[in-house]
Amino acid sequence: MDSEIKEEVPVHEEFILCCGVETQVLKCGPWTNLFNEPRANRPKLLIFIITGNPGFSAFYVPFAKALYSSINRRFPVWVISHAGHALVPKGKKILTTLDDSNAQEINDIYGLQGQVEHKLAFLRTHVPKEVKLVVIGHSIGCYFNLEILKLAPELPTHIKHWPCVRP
């Protein structure tokens, strides 16, 4: 029965040009563009998942669906790939924004610091400032999250530290 619920979870795949690089974003829930939503209908919170290596977003779909279901579908859950780690299928449209002005500023978009700046540029371009963030990272994605928080303390993030539980 639990798997039936997860199958019903809407997942929207987008390829976005972020910092001049094609980026895959998987979105659970009906919200695909938070800026197009009337302010009253915008979710108050976004759960944002940054992948570990190799940056393959589809690996996280079962987790994102389960998380979205467990919060009773109240808030969107988005998963972002690493810059340059996802191939756009033939015929798939790449979405662009006028605000993608950070492409010139990132010298090594495929390097460690470039990946951090890529995620930060995405958040600044695609998430309204009043939407609170819960950031989740797997492996190197955790490092990216910590670096984003250092570079942009103004982001409205909620951080929860779960201590290691040892038997």
Side-chain angles (χ1 to χ4, degrees):
M1 181 155 169
D2 193 29
S3 62
E4 291 174 22
I5 293 170
K6 290 176 188 167
E7 289 300 320
E8 297 172 16
V9 171
V11 178
H12 179 76
E13 178 187 52
E14 291 181 351
F15 286 89
I16 296 170
L17 197 63
C18 181
C19 302
V21 177
E22 297 152 351
T23 305
Q24 183 185 37
V25 182
L26 301 176
K27 300 177 177 184
C28 287
W31 308 275
T32 57
N33 185 328
L34 297 180
F35 285 104
N36 285 348
E37 289 287 328
R39 194 174 287 259
N41 294 344
R42 275 187 199 153
K44 306 279 185 254
L45 185 127
L46 168 67
I47 299 173
F48 187 68
I49 302 169
I50 299 178
T51 65
N53 277 333
F56 185 58
S57 300
F59 176 78
Y60 298 87
V61 168
F63 172 69
K65 284 181 170 186
L67 182 57
Y68 182 68
S69 293
S70 73
I71 57 172
N72 298 320
R73 302 171 180 233
R74 290 183 54 210
F75 306 110
V77 177
W78 291 2
V79 182
I80 189 169
S81 70
H82 298 327
H85 285 224
L87 292 174
V88 181
K90 286 185 180 181
K92 184 81 172 174
K93 183 179 178 184
I94 300 171
L95 304 174
T96 58
T97 63
L98 296 175
D99 295 335
D100 188 29
S101 59
N102 297 311
Q104 303 304 324
E105 298 173 22
I106 300 177
N107 294 329
D108 182 16
I109 188 118
Y110 303 110
L112 198 57
Q113 189 60 33
Q115 292 287 347
V116 170
E117 293 175 30
H118 168 261
K119 308 307 177 280
L120 184 53
F122 176 85
L123 289 170
R124 287 181 170 153
T125 305
H126 296 278
V127 181
K129 290 180 181 179
E130 70 274 1
V131 174
K132 293 179 182 174
L133 292 167
V134 172
V135 292
I136 298 174
H138 173 231
S139 188
I140 195 68
C142 291
Y143 173 80
F144 294 160
N145 283 335
L146 292 172
E147 290 300 304
I148 287 167
L149 296 174
K150 279 192 235 175
L151 292 172
E154 75 280 1
L155 288 176
T157 55
H158 290 277
I159 300 180
K160 174 73 175 157
H161 172 71
W162 288 284
C164 261
V165 178
R166 294 189 178 151

